[in-house]
Amino acid sequence: MMTSQLFRQRRERLLEQMPDKALAIIPAASEVTRSRDTEYPFRQASDYWYLTGFNEPDGLLVLVKEGETGKSLLFNLPKDPEMETWTGIRLGQEKAPEVLGVDQAFPLQQIDEQLSDLLGEASEVWLPLDNLALYQNYLNWRQGVRRKRKRSACLPDRLVDVASALAEMRLIKSDEEIALMQKAVDISAAGHFRAMKASRPGAYEYQLQAELEHEFAIQGAAAPAYASIVGSGANACVLHYIANQDALKAGDLVLIDAGAEYQGYAGDITRTFPVDGHFTEAQKQLYELVLKANEEAIRQAGPGTTLEALHQSVLRVLTQGLLELGILQGELETLLEAEAYKPYFMHGTSHWLGLDVHDVGIYRIEGSARPLQPGMVFTIEPGLYFPPDCEEVDPKWRGLGIRIEDDVLITKQGCKVLSDQVPKTVAGIESLMRGADAAA
């Protein structure tokens, strides 16, 4: 469970990186209109959530460095009984320091006046440089300083991207974050179990989506962490297929890529399984090749290795397997150099996972792949895809799309697969789908 003390510690860690009199400005998300007077479900900006744990829209967190320490100022929506009747109780300013651990809270309407004053004393400003709306506000606040102080105005001339500093902080997960991520993955896993058990010829992709997202909701997830992918048959060859509208057919595979969001943290699991609970021989051959690549990358994952090295191991396993199946012809090293696998495996093997499903954090440092460290969480997700119009391969492979994705935590000893409770062997999947105890 996250406490206000933990969020305070994160703010202090950011302040430690800032020079004296620097100012950091981190915005909340705003509600987005869906149509006329209805909004999309609100989802808080990840950096703002990371530093505050506060889920109201339209706020602004300001950190002011003062010597060796600093203070945190919150600008948030004021109490408004009429609006609260429609949209829910607001925290307001009086209770914010106690509940959130900030030093002071001000009504959002005071932001222009307060920021103009604070900028007049700042040595430099840290803000997310890709937030154009905030940057325009920053320029307006600078003008406010000039209007107030005229010739005596002294404005900071250095901008720093606060998002980069926060990305580095967010990349290494704390024990509290790992516990929440495990919960998000556990809920995601339960959804996958339920969808597998509900699969049958004649059902629809959207019905499997409903099964897994129902399980997410009843287990306390706020929402899916991203648009659920339920692709049966050739739809599994579309990497981001989200129409989820077709009927399931006997003899087809179905690929589900879905995860739950729990207290801001994302799960991200992919499993591919037969609609009717039994792999055909061709499906089994391709599936076990993808599984071999998944397991080899997991075997190699640990402190000091890199995501690039894991990706290369996946490419080697898949290319060797495609050679053995007769889908590719030639010498292994020549095929790897020519990227002959790419028509059938066109995406990366891994991405960071955390508050965002494709989480922040740089992948390369000074041109070299970043070594993995304990506390990093990422996916391992090899796949193979043969669309129906893939005429260069034997017809038995056409229309098959397979991906196996696990969520992996780097530990001091090696790695932990957070999603290993979801079966992924042929025997384990077939056992689960016929109602027996599933083997991993």
Side-chain angles (χ1 to χ4, degrees), residues 94-149:
E94 184 177 344
K95 293 184 178 180
E98 175 187 352
V99 173
L100 302 176
V102 295
D103 295 302
Q104 290 178 273
F106 301 92
L108 201 56
Q109 295 89 327
Q110 294 185 19
I111 200 166
D112 290 343
E113 177 184 355
Q114 294 284 349
L115 262 294
S116 293
D117 289 340
L118 290 168
L119 276 176
E121 306 296 328
S123 60
E124 63 184 44
V125 177
W126 292 37
L127 49 76
L129 296 182
D130 60 353
N131 189 320
L132 298 181
L134 181 63
Y135 182 70
Q136 184 58 57
N137 285 335
Y138 165 72
L139 296 179
N140 293 339
W141 296 326
R142 288 177 63 93
Q143 291 301 316
V145 177
R146 295 190 189 281
R147 284 193 298 270
K148 280 186 177 182
R149 304 195 180 189

Side-chain angles (χ1 to χ4, degrees), residues 9-134:
Q9 289 170 356
R10 290 173 175 174
R11 296 192 293 268
E12 289 172 351
R13 284 174 56 204
L14 181 57
L15 279 163
E16 288 172 2
Q17 302 175 55
M18 297 163 54
D20 187 29
K21 296 185 179 180
L23 200 68
I25 306 171
I26 299 95
S30 296
E31 291 186 312
V32 178
T33 299
R34 181 181 184 274
S35 64
R36 293 180 61 81
D37 58 352
T38 61
E39 288 77 36
Y40 286 103
F42 178 73
R43 204 275 186 180
Q44 188 57 274
S46 295
D47 282 342
Y48 186 84
W49 175 261
Y50 182 78
L51 293 172
T52 65
F54 187 37
N55 204 37
E56 289 186 14
D58 297 327
L60 202 73
L61 175 69
V62 178
L63 303 181
V64 183
K65 183 65 176 286
E66 296 175 332
E68 296 300 314
T69 59
K71 61 182 179 182
S72 54
L73 311 177
L74 182 74
F75 296 86
N76 61 318
L77 295 169
K79 298 292 288 180
D80 184 333
E82 182 177 354
M83 285 301 299
E84 289 174 62
T85 299
W86 292 92
T87 59
I89 303 301
R90 295 175 178 176
L91 180 62
Q93 286 69 56
E94 184 177 344
K95 293 184 178 180
E98 175 187 352
V99 173
L100 302 176
V102 295
D103 295 302
Q104 290 178 273
F106 301 92
L108 201 56
Q109 295 89 327
Q110 294 185 19
I111 200 166
D112 290 343
E113 177 184 355
Q114 294 284 349
L115 262 294
S116 293
D117 289 340
L118 290 168
L119 276 176
E121 306 296 328
S123 60
E124 63 184 44
V125 177
W126 292 37
L127 49 76
L129 296 182
D130 60 353
N131 189 320
L132 298 181
L134 181 63

Side-chain angles (χ1 to χ4, degrees), residues 299-413:
R299 188 189 67 79
Q300 294 186 23
T305 191
T306 66
L307 295 184
E308 176 61 26
L310 302 186
H311 182 58
Q312 291 302 320
S313 75
V314 162
L315 296 180
R316 181 167 290 273
V317 169
L318 292 179
T319 305
Q320 179 63 45
L322 292 173
L323 262 174
E324 293 170 1
L325 292 173
I327 295 171
L328 294 177
Q329 291 82 37
E331 297 295 326
L332 176 61
E333 299 303 328
T334 302
L335 292 170
L336 285 168
E337 185 176 352
E339 298 184 332
Y341 52 82
K342 209 157 193 178
Y344 318 118
F345 179 52
M346 64 293 294
H347 59 78
T349 296
S350 302
H351 59 76
W352 305 127
L353 187 66
L355 283 173
D356 296 304
V357 69
H358 284 233
D359 208 29
V360 293
I362 60 173
Y363 290 86
R364 305 184 71 81
I365 298 175
E366 295 181 352
S368 299
R370 179 176 202 147
L372 296 174
Q373 300 172 243
M376 292 179 172
V377 182
F378 56 94
T379 64
I380 290 179
E381 50 180 306
L384 285 172
Y385 313 91
F386 298 88
D389 61 354
C390 192
E391 296 182 357
E392 69 273 17
V393 302
D394 191 294
K396 68 180 178 179
W397 309 122
R398 297 175 196 170
L400 297 181
I402 297 167
R403 184 162 65 253
I404 304 171
E405 178 180 23
D406 283 302
D407 302 338
V408 177
L409 164 70
I410 294 296
T411 66
K412 291 180 180 179
Q413 294 75 31

Side-chain angles (χ1 to χ4, degrees), residues 124-431:
E124 63 184 44
V125 177
W126 292 37
L127 49 76
L129 296 182
D130 60 353
N131 189 320
L132 298 181
L134 181 63
Y135 182 70
Q136 184 58 57
N137 285 335
Y138 165 72
L139 296 179
N140 293 339
W141 296 326
R142 288 177 63 93
Q143 291 301 316
V145 177
R146 295 190 189 281
R147 284 193 298 270
K148 280 186 177 182
R149 304 195 180 189
K150 300 188 185 324
R151 292 184 180 181
S152 64
C154 184
L155 287 161
D157 58 5
R158 176 174 160 80
L159 284 178
V160 177
D161 188 9
V162 71
S164 297
L166 288 170
E168 286 299 296
M169 291 172 60
R170 286 171 50 186
L171 186 55
I172 307 296
K173 308 302 189 286
S174 66
D175 290 343
E176 294 89 347
E177 288 179 289
I178 291 167
L180 289 176
M181 292 196 69
Q182 183 66 74
K183 179 67 173 178
V185 173
D186 289 344
I187 295 172
S188 305
H192 279 265
F193 271 102
R194 182 170 178 147
M196 284 186 188
K197 291 179 178 179
S199 178
R200 67 188 187 280
Y204 283 81
E205 293 165 345
Y206 58 75
Q207 291 176 316
L208 297 195
Q209 178 184 357
E211 293 283 352
L212 71 93
E213 292 182 3
H214 176 75
E215 192 66 27
F216 293 172
I218 64 173
Q219 293 214 27
Y226 52 97
S228 299
I229 296 168
V230 183
S232 63
N235 294 335
C237 298
V238 181
L239 300 183
H240 290 170
Y241 172 80
I242 58 171
N244 301 349
Q245 63 187 5
D246 289 349
L248 310 184
K249 299 176 183 177
D252 278 352
L253 297 177
V254 57
L255 182 157
I256 295 183
D257 185 339
E261 181 175 286
Y262 182 76
Q263 294 193 26
Y265 289 86
D268 185 6
I269 300 172
T270 304
R271 291 294 186 265
T272 308
F273 54 91
V275 167
D276 51 12
H278 181 75
F279 287 90
T280 67
E281 186 58 32
Q283 291 168 353
K284 182 178 177 180
Q285 287 179 295
L286 279 184
Y287 185 90
E288 290 190 328
L289 173 53
V290 176
L291 178 61
K292 183 178 180 180
N294 169 276
E295 292 177 333
E296 177 60 21
I298 289 171
R299 188 189 67 79
Q300 294 186 23
T305 191
T306 66
L307 295 184
E308 176 61 26
L310 302 186
H311 182 58
Q312 291 302 320
S313 75
V314 162
L315 296 180
R316 181 167 290 273
V317 169
L318 292 179
T319 305
Q320 179 63 45
L322 292 173
L323 262 174
E324 293 170 1
L325 292 173
I327 295 171
L328 294 177
Q329 291 82 37
E331 297 295 326
L332 176 61
E333 299 303 328
T334 302
L335 292 170
L336 285 168
E337 185 176 352
E339 298 184 332
Y341 52 82
K342 209 157 193 178
Y344 318 118
F345 179 52
M346 64 293 294
H347 59 78
T349 296
S350 302
H351 59 76
W352 305 127
L353 187 66
L355 283 173
D356 296 304
V357 69
H358 284 233
D359 208 29
V360 293
I362 60 173
Y363 290 86
R364 305 184 71 81
I365 298 175
E366 295 181 352
S368 299
R370 179 176 202 147
L372 296 174
Q373 300 172 243
M376 292 179 172
V377 182
F378 56 94
T379 64
I380 290 179
E381 50 180 306
L384 285 172
Y385 313 91
F386 298 88
D389 61 354
C390 192
E391 296 182 357
E392 69 273 17
V393 302
D394 191 294
K396 68 180 178 179
W397 309 122
R398 297 175 196 170
L400 297 181
I402 297 167
R403 184 162 65 253
I404 304 171
E405 178 180 23
D406 283 302
D407 302 338
V408 177
L409 164 70
I410 294 296
T411 66
K412 291 180 180 179
Q413 294 75 31
C415 75
K416 178 183 179 182
V417 182
L418 303 179
S419 53
D420 64 356
Q421 66 272 53
V422 189
K424 61 181 179 181
T425 64
V426 167
I429 289 170
E430 291 184 342
S431 177

